[in-house]
Amino acid sequence: MRDYGRAGHGCVGGVSGLRHEAALIESRTGGLLGIREATGIRGMAMGMRRYSAFAIAREAARYHTGWERAWRSPQPKAEYDAIIVGAGGHGLATAYYLAKNHGITNVAVVEKGWLGGGNTGRNTTIIRSNYLQPSSMAVFEKSRSLYEDLSQQLNYNIMFSPRGVLMLAQTEHEKRAWERTWHANRIAGIESELVTPERIKEIVPIIETGGPRYPVLGGLWQPRGGTARHDAVAWGYARAASAMGVDIIQQCEVTGVDRDADGVTGIQTTKGAIRTKKLCIVVAGNSGVLADMAGFRLPVESVALQALVSEPIKPCMDCVVMANTVHGYMSQSDKGEMVIGGGADGFNNYTQRGSFQHIEETVRALIETFPMISRLKMLRQWGGIVDMTGDRSPIIGTTPVPGVFINCGWGTGGFKAIPGSGWATAEMVADGAPRALAAPFSLDRFTEGRMIDESVAAAVAH
Ligand code: FAD
Ligand code: PYC
């Protein structure tokens, strides 16, 4: 797994960076290991031991022989109160909040690969809530605010780094779009700021604001936006959910959905059949495949979104910059790599890989605004399959099959939404119907014409 997310700027969690390092070392030798300590975290019924500075010191003194696995790896039971398909951030957060907020712990999260191995472990970790529509702002700001102390909540350093996110305006049209978003954000009480080219140069000294084709005309700055370490978000939710009794079953592909006249009855998997009356599908780019198994269709297209990182260099940029007119964005990891992404592929596919032309297109686009990157060597690139809806907003809702719920359509922008989405999806699965946060994102908005147009705020060209 890539390791570009270690936060150094205002990272919440203090000493937990050390605990995370310890956990990481163990993860490379076959699974994350936890730290035994007398104090249990509130609500962690299965006896998860807290990570702390004391535990680190004690383990150092006894040659790290006392670590325990961060989550259990059980065989599936015959039946669960609820099954979540997909152990990405959204599925794991849903399981965590089902257990924590609703006391529902007889839950399985079923994952065909390894947890966090989908888009959650492949994204560029940008967190912000400067969307346009009220329902989007509500869910993204709920999420951003949950990120603020998620390390403490999960007792796992997710390395939230509110380093600020800057979205450049490089055309008059874009400038007007950000002005509109800024007004909407102010009305909703979301902190964002319109900034001038001069202020942008102060925030990002390496930027070239006077480019010949697309000079920087201004920007939208969200100072409490930022990044978090993507794998740690998945691992932290997994560990805390497992400790409360949730079974996370990896290497277990769902191959069919069982139903009778009253609705869902269970699933078929590569580890056998499992019964349930509540099934929540949270599989991002594979949503259409799972919906097909359950017997309904989704207005979602699957396309690859790619990213790349450069060789590590000295610290030169301590915020995130998105240049949407030229289709590129960039931040710097704590290891020093420039983390770079561009637009989504222009055709549907299921290939989680990068392509040569994407490196060229994206780097070429960014060079005008960041001339210094023309000298950088690019080290790695990859792709993830994102689930795009027509209005670029997610779907959280019930489906035509009673007992089957869906959470998908986060497209190019769902990492930032993991905590809020998990919170809202857990409410829906617990109650059988969405509450206020999720209600606008129902599937029937596409037939009723209640689109939530976020094609500008989605910010990544597609
Ligand atoms: P995933 O993490 O993809 O999890 C779905 C899981 O379902 C996978 O683990 C998969 O293996 C599993 N699954 C699929 N089919 C089955 C089956 N049949 N049986 C069992 N399991 C199954 N968002 C941001 O907010 N900020 C960013 O900076 C950002 N950058 C991005 C950059 C890239 C290159 C990519 C690809 C995405 C980016 N995103 C970003 C989007 C974000 O990554 C996703 O929206 C988010 O991670 C989706 O999470 P998820 O849990 O829904 O899906
Ligand atoms: O949603 O902010 C975003 C984003 C940035 C890069 C990919 N997605």
Side-chain angles (χ1 to χ4, degrees):
M1 292 241 119
R2 279 165 294 281
D3 188 11
Y4 59 69
R6 288 189 54 217
H9 317 253
C11 179
V12 176
V15 294
S16 51
L18 284 174
R19 21 181 144 105
H20 185 74
E21 277 310 307
L24 267 183
I25 291 162
E26 297 298 339
S27 80
R28 289 182 187 123
T29 53
L32 284 171
L33 305 184
I35 298 168
R36 284 194 183 281
E37 201 198 358
T39 332
I41 205 169
R42 190 171 68 83
M44 302 239 158
M46 311 288 285
M48 182 182 87
R49 302 303 184 199
R50 279 187 68 78
Y51 290 165
S52 72
F54 295 115
I56 292 280
R58 192 184 53 226
E59 288 307 319
R62 61 180 190 189
Y63 301 102
H64 301 282
T65 52
W67 302 106
E68 64 184 9
R69 289 199 177 273
W71 51 79
R72 298 169 296 109
S73 293
Q75 287 304 309
K77 294 192 272 194
E79 183 164 8
Y80 289 92
D81 293 340
I83 295 177
I84 294 160
V85 190
H90 290 260
L92 291 165
T94 299
Y96 169 77
Y97 291 115
L98 265 176
K100 180 160 187 274
N101 293 355
H102 305 278
I104 300 173
T105 56
N106 185 26
V107 173
V109 183
V110 179
E111 165 57 50
K112 74 174 175 184
W114 67 95
L115 70 84
N119 294 342
T120 298
R122 294 164 189 267
N123 74 83
T124 44
T125 77
I126 298 172
I127 296 169
R128 58 188 175 84
S129 59
N130 51 359
Y131 280 69
L132 180 64
Q133 310 293 351
S135 41
S136 321
M137 286 187 279
V139 72
F140 284 107
E141 177 58 15
K142 168 81 181 170
S143 209
R144 200 207 55 75
S145 63
L146 285 170
Y147 264 123
E148 292 264 1
D149 69 346
L150 197 56
S151 295
Q152 287 80 0
Q153 291 296 326
L154 299 179
N155 181 232
Y156 199 97
N157 188 8
I158 59 119
M159 301 179 176
F160 177 58
S161 170
R163 59 185 68 186
V165 175
L166 177 63
M167 299 168 86
L168 300 179
Q170 291 177 286
T171 62
E172 285 300 332
H173 169 81
E174 206 168 22
K175 205 172 159 199
R176 278 196 298 277
W178 293 152
E179 279 166 10
R180 192 172 167 215
T181 303
W182 175 66
H183 285 299
N185 291 171
R186 276 165 53 101
I187 290 167
I190 290 175
E191 189 186 5
S192 73
E193 211 179 304
L194 283 178
V195 284
T196 61
E198 294 71 33
R199 174 85 180 106
I200 288 172
K201 189 72 186 165
E202 282 168 19
I203 296 171
V204 196
I206 63 168
I207 207 166
E208 169 56 63
T209 52
R213 282 190 315 157
Y214 295 114
V216 175
L217 305 176
L220 186 64
W221 170 238
Q222 184 165 32
R224 292 299 293 178
T227 57
R229 188 186 152 106
H230 48 11
D231 319 277
V233 172
W235 296 337
Y237 274 121
R239 173 172 172 265
S242 173
M244 288 188 285
V246 171
D247 284 355
I248 300 166
I249 304 160
Q250 301 181 72
Q251 306 296 333
C252 181
E253 180 168 358
V254 176
T255 53
V257 174
D258 299 331
R259 41 186 290 195
D260 63 17
D262 296 328
V264 67
T265 57
I267 52 173
Q268 298 293 325
T269 79
T270 47
K271 292 191 176 179
I274 317 176
R275 292 192 304 277
T276 190
K277 292 268 189 253
K278 285 185 175 183
L279 179 67
C280 189
I281 298 171
V282 198
V283 295
N286 284 281
S287 300
V289 179
L290 265 291
D292 192 44
M293 288 180 200
F296 62 93
R297 296 194 69 196
L298 285 173
V300 169
E301 287 187 67
S302 295
V303 295
L305 181 66
Q306 303 183 33
L308 54 147
V309 292
S310 74
E311 61 187 326
I313 53 173
K314 289 195 171 160
C316 63
M317 197 173 93
D318 63 359
C319 66
V320 179
V321 180
M322 304 184 70
N324 303 327
T325 292
V326 298
H327 300 176
Y329 61 91
M330 192 163 82
S331 64
Q332 187 169 25
S333 76
D334 294 321
K335 279 203 311 203
E337 300 162 330
M338 302 312 288
V339 181
I340 296 173
D345 280 6
F347 48 94
N348 295 358
N349 70 89
Y350 284 93
T351 314
Q352 294 173 295
R353 297 165 72 166
S355 60
F356 286 124
Q357 83 269 17
H358 185 82
I359 309 181
E360 194 183 344
E361 273 167 23
T362 306
V363 174
R364 187 176 56 202
L366 280 174
I367 281 176
E368 182 178 319
T369 320
F370 296 100
M372 53 83 79
I373 69 166
S374 68
R375 308 273 300 273
L376 284 182
K377 294 186 184 67
M378 295 300 151
L379 281 194
R380 301 187 298 281
Q381 74 172 139
W382 62 92
I385 304 305
V386 298
D387 38 343
M388 310 292 293
T389 59
D391 60 1
R392 305 317 189 213
S393 285
I395 302 170
I396 311 174
T398 54
T399 71
V401 182
V404 177
F405 304 91
I406 185 84
N407 173 322
C408 70
W410 295 96
T412 61
F415 175 71
K416 67 175 83 64
I418 285 172
S421 157
W423 184 288
T425 307
E427 288 177 342
M428 172 176 72
V429 174
D431 298 354
R435 293 190 198 168
L437 205 53
F441 299 102
S442 62
L443 188 51
D444 55 20
R445 78 172 186 273
F446 296 96
T447 45
E448 292 172 1
R450 289 183 290 104
M451 304 304 175
I452 304 167
D453 183 0
E454 289 292 359
S455 41
V456 173
V460 173
H462 36 252

